Amino acid sequence: MKLTSILKVAFNANDSQMQDDFKLTDFEDWDSMQHMLFITKLEEDYSVDLTGDEIANIRTIGEIKKLLSSKGKLD
């Protein structure tokens, strides 16, 4: 899954963290700069433009999946 790859690169995540209820801020390498780089990569790889409200409401991996799915972009 493309999302898993993006998360692994952005936050140095591992497979055990790839649960829908896992919070992005719980990644050891999470900080605001990495978060914005992650959002940029997400938008590029999925060819979507996220609004400020959408970005602010992303807290978990499951919320990312729901957002991408709502845009018809989940792989």
Side-chain angles (χ1 to χ4, degrees), residues 44-74:
E44 288 174 359
D45 285 13
Y46 282 96
S47 299
V48 295
D49 290 317
L50 302 177
T51 68
D53 286 342
E54 289 171 331
I55 294 168
N57 288 322
I58 294 175
R59 292 184 185 89
T60 66
I61 293 173
E63 289 170 346
I64 297 167
K65 290 178 181 178
K66 286 179 188 174
L67 178 59
L68 292 172
S69 182
S70 75
K71 295 179 175 288
K73 298 292 184 171
L74 192 59

Side-chain angles (χ1 to χ4, degrees), residues 28-45:
E28 189 173 318
D29 288 355
W30 185 94
D31 63 26
S32 58
M33 180 59 78
Q34 282 305 111
H35 185 82
M36 291 312 299
L37 292 172
F38 164 72
I39 295 297
T40 300
K41 184 71 171 155
L42 194 67
E43 288 179 321
E44 288 174 359
D45 285 13

Side-chain angles (χ1 to χ4, degrees), residues 11-36:
F11 301 114
N12 196 28
N14 60 58
D15 288 331
S16 68
Q17 296 168 315
M18 297 299 137
Q19 306 298 319
D20 284 353
D21 62 346
F22 195 87
K23 294 179 183 177
L24 297 181
T25 55
D26 287 342
F27 286 120
E28 189 173 318
D29 288 355
W30 185 94
D31 63 26
S32 58
M33 180 59 78
Q34 282 305 111
H35 185 82
M36 291 312 299

